[in-house]
Amino acid sequence: MSSSLADLFTIISQHGQPIVRSRVSKAYHFAKQAHQGQIRHTGEPLISHPLETAKILASWGQSESVIIAALLHETLELGNITPEQIKQQFGSDIATLVERVTQVGQVKLRHSTNSIFLENARKMFFALAQDIRVVFIRLADRLHNMRTLSHLSPEKQKKIALETMEIYVPLVHRLGMYAFKWEMEDLAFKYLYPIDFKKLKQMVSKKREDREDYI
């Protein structure tokens, strides 16, 4: 077993969701094979992204089906895998989840910040998902992408950060996932307003030093 897969099992065990380890392991190795030779913008093997997405979902206490679908969520678009292959290996429920995750990924900001367009985009996101598990997978996927955004060009950083702030952050807020909302907002702010972010970071750091001196 790879150490990364072992890390996933550790997180799962810490959050108490019952799983069949062999099924999760099978999904990991299936996705790893599908993404063989593919590299992320970070320079890491592409499998690292679905694995990290699955870890985030495990930390949220998500079910086995969600974790398996997260491991497979790039295979249709990037891994030259068909829904039928996923169905044969993992069942129709997992295949449907992966298909819907792929569909929801097509909801883009498309350079518009009009309030009506944004609300329609959020509604479309939920309509395409049809299943709250799909929403959770896409949110975890976006959170990991935001955590590794520094490896992209400044233009792509701003585009993805704006999309995150306008579409994903309100969705997280509506689900009441405030800790992750704050992380997404902070990451988006860092790339949308880098100068202001740097100033605020320095101010917070200074205040912390003052508090430590006082204590």
Side-chain angles (χ1 to χ4, degrees):
M1 185 191 303
S2 72
S3 59
S4 295
L5 184 56
D7 292 342
L8 174 60
F9 285 132
T10 298
I11 296 170
I12 292 171
S13 65
Q14 289 171 344
H15 292 82
Q17 279 282 2
I19 64 159
V20 178
R21 291 169 69 99
S22 60
R23 276 177 54 80
V24 174
S25 181
K26 178 182 177 181
Y28 169 77
H29 291 292
F30 181 92
K32 186 176 181 180
Q33 181 62 38
H35 297 306
Q36 189 69 37
Q38 295 179 334
I39 304 296
R40 290 194 82 221
H41 52 264
T42 60
E44 301 169 296
L46 195 144
I47 187 60
S48 66
H49 170 64
L51 180 61
E52 291 303 319
T53 301
K55 287 180 183 178
I56 292 170
L57 289 158
S59 75
W60 293 352
Q62 292 294 313
S63 66
E64 176 190 290
S65 61
V66 171
I67 291 168
I68 289 175
L71 289 168
L72 301 172
H73 84 272
E74 299 273 28
T75 57
L76 295 184
E77 189 173 5
L78 302 176
N80 199 29
I81 297 296
T82 67
E84 187 59 33
Q85 287 175 290
I86 294 176
K87 183 178 179 180
Q88 289 174 355
Q89 295 292 325
F90 302 98
S92 58
D93 182 52
I94 299 297
T96 299
L97 277 178
V98 175
E99 281 191 275
R100 287 178 179 167
V101 169
T102 304
Q103 290 172 349
V104 169
Q106 306 307 312
V107 178
K108 303 292 184 183
L109 190 61
R110 306 198 189 286
H111 307 291
S112 175
T113 55
N114 176 275
S115 59
I116 295 175
F117 172 86
L118 292 174
E119 186 56 30
N120 285 338
R122 295 173 199 131
K123 288 178 180 177
M124 187 186 303
F125 188 102
F126 278 113
L128 286 172
Q130 299 180 40
D131 185 330
I132 194 64
R133 296 176 299 171
V134 175
V135 176
F136 284 132
I137 294 169
R138 262 304 165 195
L139 291 177
D141 164 74
R142 178 52 59 110
L143 181 56
H144 181 246
N145 279 331
M146 289 299 295
R147 288 174 177 174
T148 58
L149 202 57
S150 62
H151 298 272
L152 293 178
S153 67
E155 182 182 354
K156 287 186 177 179
Q157 287 173 353
K158 288 187 176 181
K159 179 182 177 181
I160 295 171
L162 182 60
E163 188 174 86
T164 299
M165 188 70 86
E166 298 290 2
I167 294 180
Y168 286 83
V169 168
L171 294 177
V172 177
H173 177 77
R174 291 178 188 183
L175 291 169
M177 303 170 70
Y178 300 116
F180 299 102
K181 175 195 172 187
W182 296 330
E183 183 179 359
M184 275 192 179
E185 282 181 324
D186 286 350
L187 289 167
F189 186 78
K190 175 182 177 180
Y191 293 103
L192 290 172
Y193 309 103
I195 296 175
D196 292 334
F197 178 83
K198 186 175 181 180
K199 288 180 180 178
L200 282 172
K201 188 175 180 180
Q202 290 172 341
M203 289 170 62
V204 170
S205 178
K206 184 62 178 176
K207 290 293 183 182
R208 183 182 295 114
E209 290 174 6
D210 292 343
R211 288 195 299 271
E212 289 172 354
D213 288 342
Y214 175 77
I215 291 170

